[in-house]
Amino acid sequence: MGKIFALLAGINAYPNVNKLSGCLNDIANVRDYLRESAPDADVEVLTDADATSANIARQFRDFLGRAGPDDVAYFHYAGHGTQNLSAPEFAEYFPSRDDEALVCWDYNWAPAEGLLADKELAVLIEAVAARGPHVAVTLDCCHSGSGTRDAAVPTGAALVRMIDASASAAKRTLDSYADGYYAKRLAAGERLTIPRGRHVLLAACDRVQTAKEDTASHRGVFTTALVEVLRQTGGAISYADLLARCRATARTYVADRKLSAQDPQFAPTADFDAGAGFLGRALGSNRPAYYVTRGSGGWMAECGAAHGLPTDLTRPVTFALFGEGARETRIGNAEATSVGAQTTALHLDFTPDPAARYFAELTSLPATPLLIGFTGDAPVRTALEQALAADPLAGAALGGVADADEYSLAATGGALTLTRGGRTIFAARTDSEGWEPGVVQALAHIARYERLLKLDNPRSELGRGAAALVVELDGSDAVTADDRVTAQFAGAKIAVRFKVRNAADQELFATLLWFAPAPDYRIVLVANEQVPKDSIVTLVLDQEWKLGLGADEQGSVDRLKLIVTTEKFDDFLLRQGKLPLPGEQHRGLAPEPVRMVSNDWFVRDLALEVVRTGG
C-alpha cells in the first residue's frame, strides 16, 4: 500500500447556528488513531473557522487529489448536518426535494452559502477517485446516510448534530452546485446525473435520522465507536464488519437512553469492495460471524436471506453464540425464528445479559447446495469433496453425471474442467499441490450467484403489488415490468432508465441488481434508493445504461432483480465481483389506520431482452 492522505474537518464554534461540544474531540480522536496506526500518513486538519465550505472543497481537490493509484484518500467530518430544498432539476431523482448537506463554519442560512451538499461531495469524490486511489469517507453528522449531528438542545445524555436549513424555504439554483458543474452539463446537452466515483461511505446515521454526541464525554457516538473498534482490531477489519460493530454500539447507546434511532449506514459505490480492509489494510480472521443484539423485537442477528439463510424454516437454522470480546469461548446456542432480508430473529437457549452484544456463527445451514455433476478421476473427486465439506458455506456439492444444461466437472489427465451447456466456465490443474481451495472458491462464487438469482420471499406481507419496476427505452413510453421487457435493436444503442413506483401505504427501499452472465458471474448494484409512499422515483445509476448487440449477436437477455424492503437494505451484502479463476490472485468477496409492516421484503425479477430487427 502507498501513502494515506487524510483530511479531517470538525466544527464546534459555529458563529450563526447552535454550537457543538464534541466535534473537535472527534477529530483529535481520529487524528491520534492515524498517528498510532499509520505514522507515515499525511494528515490535514481543518477545525472551526478553517472549516469553511470553500476550504473543505479546496483541500478535497488539492490535498486528497494528490493520492494516486496505490494510495488512500480518507475524509472524516464531524459537525452539523442538515437537509434543505434542492434545485428543482433534481426532483425526478429525489422526490423529497432535499439535499443532505454538511454545515460548514461559514453557513449563514442562505441556501448555497456554507453548505456542502451531497451532490457537491459526489463531484469532489469523483475527481479524487479518477486518479485510482482507495477512497473512504466517514461522516459524523445528521442526515449523513446519503452522503452528507440533530443539534438544538440536549436530549437526555446526548446532543444531536443538526440544524434545520429548510426553515429559510429557499431553494438552491442548479448553477450554485459545485461551481456550476451540473448546470454546465445540462447546457452541454448532457443528462443530469450524480457522479458515482469509486469510494466507500460510512455514515453516523440514516438520511432521516440524527447523530448524537455524548454530553458527558463530549464525543460523537459514531466516531467514538469507529475508533474504539479500529483500536480493538488493530485496524485489520473489513468495512462491512466495521459497520456492523459501529451500528450495534450506536443502537445500544440510543436504546439505553431512550433516544431516537441512530443506525450507522454503509454505502460502497461503483463496485467498491465491501470486504476490503479499512484504509486498504490486510484483514485478520475471515471466519464469518454476525453481531447479535437485543432490539424492540427481541434478539436479532445481523444476517438474513441475503447471507444465504432460507426463509422456509421447516428445518432449524442454528447458531453458536460467543461473547463480543471472547470469540473463542462459546456461551450458548440460538435458533432462527424468522428470517428477514438482512436480519434474523433468534431464540436463545440461555439467559442473556440484556445489555450485552454477542457474535453468532452458523452451525447449520439447510439451504439446498448447488449440485454439480462430476465425471473422471476418483481421487480428484475425493479431494474436492473433502475441501467442500471443510467449507460449509461454499454452497456446492458434487453429484453424478449431469444433464447437458447443468454444471458439470470433468477430471482427467491432471486437468479439471467446469462446463455448462457445452461452454467451458473454467479449467484448473490438479497435478500440483494446493489446487483445491481455488476450485472451491470458484464453485462457491457460482453457487452464490445462482442462489441469489433465485432469491425470493413468498411470505411477504406487502406482496409484489406494493411496488413496480418501470422501464423507459430511449425516452419512450414507460413500460411497467412484470417479468420481461423486449427492446428492438436496429443498429443504434438503446438508452435505458429505470423507475420504481411505490403503491404501498408506507415508505419502501428499492435495490436493483444486475446479474452478469457467464463467464463473469458478477452481481452489480444498479441502484439503491428510498421511495416515499405513493410516489415514483427515477433510480440514480452508477453509469448510463445502453442496450445493444454485437455484430454476430441476434439477441441477448439481461437478468435483473428488484429487491423491495421496508428498511434500508445493505446492498453490499449481495454484490459480487468477477468469477475468481482457480490459480488467480483475487480478493474475497387509509379508511382504517394503516398498519406499518417491518422487516419485510419481496423481489421482482426482470428479463431485459434485446432482439435484432431489420436487415
Side-chain angles (χ1 to χ4, degrees):
M1 186 180 73
K3 192 175 186 64
I4 294 176
F5 295 86
L7 175 61
L8 315 179
I11 310 167
N12 280 347
Y14 284 94
N16 300 314
V17 298
N18 299 312
K19 292 177 172 55
L20 293 168
S21 65
C23 299
L24 300 195
N25 288 336
D26 288 348
I27 295 305
N29 199 7
V30 176
R31 179 200 61 206
D32 291 347
Y33 167 74
L34 289 171
R35 286 176 175 172
E36 298 161 10
S37 61
D40 294 334
D42 199 344
V43 181
E44 184 73 21
V45 175
L46 299 175
T47 57
D48 287 343
D50 289 331
T52 64
S53 56
N55 277 349
I56 292 174
R58 184 182 305 111
Q59 291 288 58
F60 216 106
R61 287 189 298 264
D62 298 343
F63 174 68
L64 294 184
R66 290 160 49 191
D70 296 324
D71 299 326
V72 173
Y74 175 46
F75 176 62
H76 182 88
Y77 171 83
H80 277 308
T82 191
Q83 291 180 318
N84 66 290
L85 291 172
S86 61
E89 289 86 350
F90 291 114
E92 179 181 7
Y93 299 99
F94 306 100
S96 63
R97 302 289 294 276
D98 287 331
D99 290 333
E100 278 76 39
L102 310 184
V103 182
C104 304
W105 183 85
D106 54 324
Y107 178 67
N108 64 356
W109 298 98
E113 296 180 26
L115 295 181
L116 190 59
D118 49 356
K119 301 163 187 67
E120 295 175 298
L121 191 55
V123 174
L124 294 171
I125 290 172
E126 181 189 43
V128 173
R131 291 175 51 84
H134 177 116
V135 182
V137 176
T138 49
L139 305 179
D140 196 346
C141 59
C142 294
H143 310 300
S144 51
S146 65
T148 49
R149 272 170 150 161
D150 196 347
V153 295
T155 304
L159 189 70
V160 288
R161 294 177 171 179
M162 179 195 76
I163 58 102
D164 184 8
S166 63
S168 65
K171 296 180 233 174
R172 289 191 64 166
T173 58
L174 193 64
D175 60 1
S176 71
Y177 291 84
D179 298 325
Y181 172 91
Y182 294 101
K184 292 171 187 174
R185 292 198 65 172
L186 278 188
E190 300 178 35
R191 285 179 53 195
L192 186 65
T193 57
I194 312 298
R196 308 280 278 187
R198 188 174 183 272
H199 74 285
V200 62
L201 165 69
L202 274 77
C205 59
D206 197 0
R207 69 179 71 181
V208 297
Q209 295 177 338
T210 59
K212 283 73 172 179
E213 66 175 40
D214 187 82
T215 53
S217 65
H218 300 294
R219 293 179 182 272
V221 173
F222 171 70
T223 301
T224 300
L226 180 80
V227 177
E228 282 182 356
V229 172
L230 291 170
R231 286 196 168 110
Q232 289 166 2
T233 60
I237 185 172
S238 72
Y239 285 102
D241 196 9
L242 179 59
L243 167 77
R245 299 195 191 194
C246 291
R247 183 179 284 173
T249 297
R251 286 175 173 171
T252 300
Y253 180 93
V254 299
D256 288 347
R257 292 159 179 79
K258 297 180 172 53
L259 303 173
S260 61
Q262 180 175 342
D263 298 305
Q265 299 295 312
F266 176 50
T269 297
D271 287 337
F272 189 98
D273 182 6
F278 180 73
L279 300 187
R281 288 191 175 91
L283 297 178
S285 171
N286 288 322
R287 186 172 65 179
Y290 310 101
Y291 250 113
V292 175
T293 56
R294 182 174 178 80
S296 57
W299 288 93
M300 305 292 291
E302 295 286 332
C303 60
H307 299 81
L309 274 66
T311 56
D312 182 0
L313 296 176
T314 53
R315 289 187 291 171
V317 175
T318 59
F319 300 83
L321 265 61
F322 302 84
E324 182 179 19
R327 288 280 299 276
E328 305 306 320
T329 304
R330 186 165 176 164
I331 294 175
N333 304 293
E335 183 174 330
T337 58
S338 67
V339 176
Q342 57 189 2
T343 57
T344 293
L346 299 178
H347 171 72
L348 280 57
D349 70 353
F350 63 97
T351 302
D353 177 355
R357 298 195 297 258
Y358 302 98
F359 279 112
E361 294 182 7
L362 282 162
T363 53
S364 70
L365 185 59
T368 303
L370 176 66
L371 195 62
I372 298 172
F374 188 94
T375 58
D377 298 339
V380 173
R381 179 183 182 117
T382 299
L384 188 52
E385 285 180 330
Q386 291 173 348
L388 287 169
D391 185 359
L393 298 182
L398 301 185
V401 178
D403 293 336
D405 60 347
E406 296 176 343
Y407 291 101
S408 181
L409 282 166
T412 181
L416 182 67
T417 305
L418 179 69
T419 60
R420 187 185 193 190
R423 179 176 185 174
T424 297
I425 306 300
F426 69 74
R429 300 297 305 180
T430 61
D431 50 7
S432 60
E433 185 154 352
W435 60 269
E436 298 94 340
V439 173
V440 168
Q441 188 164 9
L443 294 179
H445 187 102
I446 295 171
R448 182 175 186 271
Y449 176 97
E450 295 290 351
R451 173 176 60 78
L452 293 176
L453 190 58
K454 297 179 179 67
L455 184 69
D456 197 6
N457 181 24
R459 292 175 174 77
S460 170
E461 293 185 55
L462 287 169
R464 289 177 176 81
L469 181 63
V470 178
V471 182
E472 287 184 352
L473 303 175
D474 268 340
S476 62
D477 292 338
V479 178
T480 301
D482 288 323
D483 58 7
R484 198 174 194 91
V485 169
T486 301
Q488 306 291 327
F489 178 71
K493 287 191 175 182
I494 306 163
V496 182
R497 302 179 85 185
F498 299 101
K499 300 181 178 181
V500 174
R501 179 182 292 118
N502 180 1
D505 289 320
Q506 65 183 82
E507 174 186 72
L508 297 173
F509 297 86
T511 302
L512 185 61
L513 300 166
W514 171 55
F515 288 73
D520 280 1
Y521 289 100
R522 288 184 297 143
I523 303 176
V524 179
L525 174 70
V526 178
N528 186 350
E529 296 295 337
Q530 179 182 13
V531 188
K533 68 177 184 179
D534 194 28
S535 70
I536 184 166
V537 171
T538 299
L539 300 182
V540 179
L541 308 183
D542 275 350
Q543 58 187 5
E544 187 175 8
W545 264 58
K546 288 191 175 182
L547 301 177
L549 294 172
D552 299 326
E553 286 185 300
Q554 294 302 309
S556 69
V557 177
D558 284 300
R559 301 293 300 274
L560 296 105
K561 184 179 289 285
L562 179 72
I563 302 176
V564 181
T565 55
T566 53
E567 286 79 27
K568 185 174 177 62
F569 186 70
D570 291 330
D571 54 72
F572 67 88
L573 296 174
L574 299 185
R575 300 189 200 188
Q576 178 164 281
K578 187 177 179 181
L579 174 68
L581 299 179
E584 284 187 344
Q585 294 295 319
H586 49 75
R587 289 183 179 177
L589 304 178
E592 297 178 350
V594 176
R595 184 177 71 85
M596 302 297 281
V597 179
S598 63
N599 199 27
D600 195 15
W601 61 288
F602 62 89
V603 304
R604 300 288 298 265
D605 291 300
L606 171 66
L608 192 53
E609 181 182 29
V610 182
V611 297
R612 190 178 295 278
T613 62

